[in-house]
Amino acid sequence: MLKIENLHASIEDKEILKGINLEIKAGEVHAIMGPNGSGKSTLSAVIAGNETYTVTEGSVSLDGEDLADLAPEERAHKGVFLSFQYPVEIPGVSVTNFMKTAINENRKANGKEDMPANEMLKLIREKSELLEIDRKFLSRSLNEGFSGGEKKRNEIFQMAMLEPKIAILDETDSGLDIDALRIVANGVNKLKNENNAVLVITHYQRLLDYIIPDFVHVLYNGKIVKSGGKELAHELEERGYDWIKAEN
Amino acid sequence: MELKEKLISSFMAFEERVDVNDSLHDIRINAMKNFENNGFPTKKEEAWKYTSLNSVLKNDFSVFPKNENSIQYSDVKKYYLHEIDTYKVVFVDGVFSSFLSSTTHDGIDVCLMASALTKPKYKMIIDTYFNQIAQKDDSLTSLNTAFAMEGAYINIPKNKVADKPIEIINFSTGTEAALLVQPRNLIIVGENSHVQIIERHQSLNSNPVLTNSVTEIFAAKRAIVDYYKIQNDTIEASLVDNTYIAQKQQSNVSVHTFSFGGNITRNNLNFYHQGEHIESTLKGITIIEGKQHVDHHTLVQHATPNCESHQNYKTILGDRSTGVFNGKIFVEKEAQKTDAFQQNNNILLSDKATINAKPQLEIFADDVKCSHGCTIGQLDETAMFYMQSRGIPKKEAKALLMYAFSNDVIQSIKIPELKARITKIIANKLGVNMGFDL
C-alpha cells in the first residue's frame, strides 16, 4: 500500500532523511521508534507532503502512485492521514464546521456530492462516541484551549471521520494520561481493518502495549537501522537507545 | 484650475443659489473660511502622515450635482439589502432619487437633509443639532459643511423603535468624468429609542469619484444605535468618511465599518461622551489588495465617569495595499471608572503590504481600566499545512483562516441578512464558495 524507497529529505540544505526504505501492506500496523532528532517527525511530515521539506532523492508511493507532485490536500484525498504531534489551534473555526469542510472537500475531490446534513450529524455523533468526546466540545474552536489529551483525541476523531487508507500517528501518546491513552488506542484499534494500515511513530514503547504492531523499525540518524517484530519495542524499552547508537 | 480654487469660486455661486436662514449662512461662511485657510490635508499633518489624497485631487472634479440621473432599480438591486424590507434614502450622483428611495414621516422621520435645512418647521432642530459636534477646525469637515445640502435626515422621537433598518445609499453613475460628492447626514435618536442604519457608497462605473461625507449622530438617554458602513466600492472611488457621535447617559452606539474596496478610504470616527454609563462599540474588518489604501482614525473621548468603549479592528492586506489604524482613547480627569478596550489585529499576506498601527491612549483619570492590543503577522503556515493535511485545499484553507480571523467582528452584526451579506462579500473577495458558516 505505502511504499517508501530510498527517501532522502532535507530542510534548508540540512539532510534529515538519508535513504529510508519501508513497505507497509494493507492490514498491517508498523511502528517507527527512535531517539530524539533521528528524523521521525520529518518522515511523517514528508509523507503528508509538508512543503517545508525538500525531497532530494527517492520516492513515496501509495497503491503504486508516486505522491511526489501531490499537494498535502491531494494526498489526503487519496487516503493519507497525519495525526499531528502538536495539533494546531484555529480560533474561530468550530470542530464541527472544520470537519464538515474537510469531509466535503474530500468528497468533492473524489467526485461525490456534499454529505447530507443529517448523515453528517449522525457520523459526527457516532465517531465522537467512539472517542468519548463530549458533544459540547464539538462546538468549540478547533483545538483552542484544549488540553493535550483533548487535542490528541480530537486528532483520532478526525481520523475516524475521514477513514484514511494509511494513518500516520506522530507521537500520539505524548501528553496523554493513561485513560486518554486507552481511549485513543481503542479508537485506532476499532478503525483498523484489512483494507487500511497504521504507522505509529513514537519515542516510547507505552502506546504499543495498546496498539500492537506487526513490525517495529528503529530510525536513527535518518535511516532505518533495525527492523523486527513487536518484541523489538520491548527490547528498546529495556535497553534504551544507546546500544543502537553504539552499533551505528 | 486647482480643485481648491474651483471650490472657492463654486461656493460663491452656491451661496447665491441657496436661500437659507442667517444662522446657517454664517455657519457656511465660517466653514468655508476654515477650508480656505487650511486647504486639503497633506502628509505634513500628523493625522494624515500615512494617507495622501494628492493622486485623487489631481482629477478635474465636477462639484455640483447635476439633475437626477435615471438608473433602474434592477441595475442596483444587488447593492440594497433586498432580502428584507428597509427604509431607503438613495442619492444618485449626490442628488436625492425619490424613485429609488422609500422614506417616511410616519412616527419617525426618514427623509432629506435638504428639506430639514430649508423648511421652517425643522429650524429649531437644525439650530440645536446641525454642525454641533462636527469638528469645526477639520478642513474636510468644514468643506462639507460649507456645501451641506443633500444627505439623509433621520429623526427618531423618544420611545420609538424604528420598525425596520434604514439604508443610506449613495450611487455615482459616472456620467461626469470625475465627481466630487459631499453627503451630509444628521441622525437624531430620542430617549429609549432604537434604530439600525446601513450606509453604502457605490460607483456604477470606473470614472473617479471622491466622496467627502459628514455624519452627525446624536443618541439621547438610553438610545440604542447600530450603524453599519459598507465600503466595497470600485477601484477609482475614494472616500473620506467623517462621523461624529454624541452620546447621552446610558446610551449604546455601535459602528461597524467593512472596508473591502475603493481606492483611498479614510474613516474618521469620533465618539463624544456626555453622560454616565455609556457604551460605545467600534469594530471593523478591512480586506484589501492591489494598491488599495484604508485608513481608520478613531477617537473615543471619555469625558464622564462609568462609561465603556470597545474597539476591535481586523485588517488583512494583500499585494501592495496599505492600511492605517490610529486609535485614540482620551480619558479626561473626571472620567473615573472608565473601561476602555482596544484591539487591532493585522495580517500581511505579502511582503509588499504595509500597515501603520498606532494605539494612542491619553489618560488623565487615575481609576480606570484601559487596555490595548495590537498584532501584526502573516498567515500561519503550520495551520495551513494542518488544514491541507485534512484535505482542505490551500485556497479554501487560506479563506477559512482569514474568515476565522475576522469572525468575531462578523458575529457581532445584529441584522442576520446583513451578516449573510457581509459573509458573502468576503467569500467572493477570497474567491471561494464558502461551504461553511462559522
Side-chain angles (χ1 to χ4, degrees):
Chain A
M1 177 181 277
L2 185 78
K3 198 166 183 187
I4 301 170
E5 288 177 294
N6 189 31
L7 184 67
H8 290 254
S10 54
I11 184 163
E12 289 163 4
D13 294 330
K14 184 173 187 285
E15 190 171 52
I16 312 277
L17 302 182
K18 301 168 180 171
I20 296 210
N21 291 290
L22 179 67
E23 186 172 4
I24 300 175
K25 296 198 174 75
E28 292 178 349
V29 176
H30 287 242
I32 290 188
M33 301 184 70
N36 290 332
S38 59
K40 300 194 297 294
S41 283
T42 301
L43 177 62
S44 60
V46 169
I47 299 171
N50 190 333
E51 284 152 11
T52 317
Y53 301 94
T54 315
V55 173
T56 50
E57 214 183 323
S59 69
V60 179
S61 62
L62 183 70
D63 291 333
E65 186 186 357
D66 192 342
L67 300 180
D69 293 333
L70 300 186
E73 62 268 28
E74 293 171 308
R75 297 179 193 218
H77 300 155
K78 295 198 181 296
V80 176
F81 179 88
L82 170 62
S83 168
F84 278 51
Q85 181 176 5
Y86 303 109
V88 181
E89 298 190 4
I90 306 182
V93 183
S94 72
V95 175
T96 303
N97 279 319
F98 180 71
M99 223 48 254
K100 274 189 205 165
T101 309
I103 291 270
N104 285 330
E105 288 295 347
N106 276 288
R107 289 173 71 100
K108 192 159 71 182
N110 289 301
K112 291 189 210 160
E113 297 281 305
D114 279 3
M115 185 181 279
N118 56 343
E119 208 178 304
M120 183 78 76
L121 282 175
K122 204 174 140 236
L123 189 67
I124 289 175
R125 193 174 311 139
E126 189 187 309
K127 302 298 185 187
S128 58
E129 277 167 17
L130 176 68
L131 275 306
E132 298 178 31
I133 288 173
D134 193 321
R135 296 285 292 283
K136 273 181 266 168
F137 184 88
L138 298 170
S139 54
R140 284 171 58 187
S141 279
L142 187 64
N143 292 322
E144 193 185 28
F146 288 15
S147 70
E150 285 171 332
K151 281 182 182 171
K152 295 302 173 72
R153 253 193 284 172
N154 183 36
E155 292 290 280
I156 305 304
F157 165 69
Q158 292 185 38
M159 171 188 160
M161 291 290 293
L162 293 165
E163 296 185 333
K165 278 189 198 163
I166 171 84
I168 304 156
L169 311 183
D170 187 8
E171 305 278 2
T172 295
D173 53 334
S174 68
L176 288 189
D177 62 30
I178 198 74
D179 290 326
L181 186 70
R182 190 182 42 74
I183 294 167
V184 161
N186 183 39
V188 173
N189 289 332
K190 284 216 175 108
L191 296 167
K192 182 80 213 44
N193 61 42
E194 69 273 18
N195 299 316
N196 59 25
V198 178
L199 176 60
V200 181
I201 290 176
T202 182
H203 185 81
Y204 301 104
Q205 179 265 343
R206 192 169 76 136
L207 181 64
L208 304 178
D209 285 341
Y210 297 90
I211 303 173
I212 314 289
D214 300 300
F215 301 95
V216 174
H217 312 277
V218 181
L219 187 67
Y220 177 65
N221 200 15
K223 278 183 181 173
I224 288 178
V225 294
K226 206 170 189 64
S227 293
K230 63 183 175 201
E231 64 287 347
L232 179 56
H234 289 283
E235 192 176 351
L236 288 167
E237 183 73 5
E238 277 166 30
R239 298 177 60 189
Y241 287 107
D242 286 346
W243 62 284
I244 298 277
K245 290 178 189 168
E247 278 180 19
N248 292 277
Chain B
M1 189 167 28
E2 273 211 21
L3 186 57
K4 186 180 169 186
E5 273 66 55
K6 189 171 179 175
L7 285 162
I8 292 166
S9 60
S10 299
F11 181 69
M12 290 187 233
F14 177 75
E15 274 285 271
E16 284 168 19
R17 240 182 24 180
V18 289
D19 175 25
V20 292
N21 65 52
D22 285 337
S23 58
L24 211 52
H25 182 76
D26 289 345
I27 290 173
R28 290 186 195 283
I29 297 277
N30 287 333
M32 199 60 204
K33 250 184 229 158
N34 183 53
F35 174 72
E36 264 192 80
N37 291 339
N38 296 310
F40 285 102
T42 66
K43 287 186 127 177
K44 285 182 194 137
E45 292 165 49
E46 181 65 23
W48 289 82
K49 194 172 169 187
Y50 300 109
T51 299
S52 168
L53 292 174
N54 285 349
S55 62
V56 174
L57 297 175
K58 277 186 207 137
N59 289 299
D60 185 20
F61 287 109
S62 303
V63 177
F64 286 126
K66 296 283 189 298
N67 291 331
E68 184 179 337
N69 273 297
S70 62
I71 47 175
Q72 296 303 312
Y73 175 65
S74 57
D75 298 334
V76 293
K77 184 185 169 205
K78 63 176 176 179
Y79 301 117
Y80 290 70
L81 198 61
H82 54 77
E83 296 87 351
I84 49 167
D85 193 17
T86 56
Y87 293 114
K88 297 171 187 74
V89 194
V90 181
F91 302 89
V92 176
D93 295 337
V95 180
F96 175 67
S97 165
S98 56
F99 172 65
L100 294 170
S101 298
S102 150
T103 57
T104 185
H105 291 290
D106 185 11
I108 60 175
D109 279 327
V110 178
C111 58
L112 298 183
M113 195 65 180
S115 310
L117 288 175
T118 48
K119 289 188 182 164
K121 69 167 175 173
Y122 296 107
K123 184 178 183 325
M124 223 174 80
I125 292 173
I126 293 300
D127 286 347
T128 310
Y129 294 104
F130 180 75
N131 211 40
Q132 290 306 306
I133 44 171
Q135 277 273 217
K136 291 177 190 64
D137 55 2
D138 180 84
S139 88
L140 288 173
T141 299
S142 296
L143 179 63
N144 178 292
T145 302
F147 286 94
M149 185 50 74
E150 294 272 21
Y153 169 77
I154 296 167
N155 192 346
I156 315 288
K158 60 177 165 180
N159 305 322
K160 275 268 177 194
V161 175
D163 56 329
K164 42 193 184 183
I166 300 165
E167 291 185 87
I168 305 171
I169 308 180
N170 300 276
F171 289 115
S172 55
T173 59
T175 37
E176 303 285 340
L179 180 69
L180 170 69
V181 283
Q182 303 204 70
R184 176 76 175 215
N185 305 312
L186 177 61
I187 295 155
I188 302 155
V189 186
E191 277 181 42
N192 304 315
S193 291
H194 183 188
V195 65
Q196 297 177 314
I197 299 169
I198 301 153
E199 179 191 327
R200 184 163 188 161
H201 302 270
Q202 188 64 48
S203 309
L204 301 174
N205 82 358
S206 60
N207 282 350
V209 179
L210 173 60
T211 303
N212 177 37
S213 160
V214 172
T215 302
E216 290 179 283
I217 301 172
F218 296 86
K221 246 190 262 177
R222 292 180 296 276
I224 304 173
V225 182
D226 297 314
Y227 205 104
Y228 302 94
K229 294 172 184 285
I230 304 177
Q231 302 173 342
N232 189 29
D233 215 336
T234 59
I235 192 64
E236 290 297 335
S238 295
L239 169 68
V240 179
D241 177 315
N242 306 283
T243 298
Y244 301 94
I245 298 161
Q247 289 186 251
K248 296 288 188 213
Q249 68 191 69
Q250 291 170 283
S251 62
N252 186 331
V253 177
S254 73
V255 176
H256 285 71
T257 308
F258 302 103
S259 311
F260 302 138
N263 173 19
I264 293 169
T265 305
R266 165 68 178 245
N267 288 292
N268 297 313
L269 179 56
N270 306 281
F271 279 77
Y272 305 101
H273 286 182
Q274 301 172 346
E276 294 195 33
H277 302 285
I278 289 166
E279 206 176 318
S280 306
T281 303
L282 305 78
K283 294 191 180 190
I285 300 175
T286 302
I287 305 177
I288 51 171
E289 62 276 308
K291 287 184 176 175
Q292 291 178 299
H293 177 92
V294 171
D295 178 344
H296 290 287
H297 264 67
T298 66
L299 166 70
V300 182
Q301 184 94 20
H302 281 275
T304 44
N306 299 309
C307 295
E308 287 180 29
S309 66
H310 312 279
Q311 297 189 54
N312 190 358
Y313 280 81
K314 310 273 190 179
T315 311
I316 300 173
L317 302 171
D319 303 334
R320 291 168 174 271
S321 62
T322 49
V324 181
F325 177 78
N326 190 118
K328 187 170 174 183
I329 298 173
F330 196 88
V331 183
E332 291 181 16
K333 209 173 163 193
E334 294 73 32
Q336 298 294 2
K337 304 281 180 194
T338 288
D339 185 350
F341 172 76
Q342 182 188 88
Q343 181 76 31
N344 170 227
N345 303 108
N346 306 285
I347 289 182
L348 303 178
L349 296 177
S350 114
D351 291 345
K352 302 215 163 64
T354 309
I355 177 79
N356 293 291
K358 185 178 169 198
Q360 198 180 341
L361 281 69
E362 292 184 30
I363 302 166
F364 297 93
D366 54 13
D367 183 14
V368 300
K369 207 167 111 187
C370 292
S371 61
H372 71 90
C374 177
T375 62
I376 299 170
Q378 283 90 36
L379 274 190
D380 183 349
E381 290 289 329
T382 323
M384 290 286 291
F385 174 59
Y386 183 75
M387 290 196 272
Q388 285 177 273
S389 81
R390 302 296 138 98
I392 301 172
K394 198 169 192 169
K395 192 167 152 192
E396 277 73 18
K398 196 170 160 182
L400 191 54
L401 275 186
M402 286 158 64
Y403 196 76
F405 172 75
S406 36
N407 192 35
D408 52 347
V409 174
I410 297 171
Q411 288 313 317
S412 65
I413 302 173
K414 289 180 193 151
I415 305 170
E417 293 78 9
L418 182 64
K419 191 193 279 186
R421 178 66 68 85
I422 296 297
T423 306
K424 204 170 152 197
I425 295 176
I426 294 177
N428 283 343
K429 213 170 160 60
L430 304 180
V432 293
N433 179 12
M434 254 186 295
F436 46 85
D437 48 3
L438 297 154

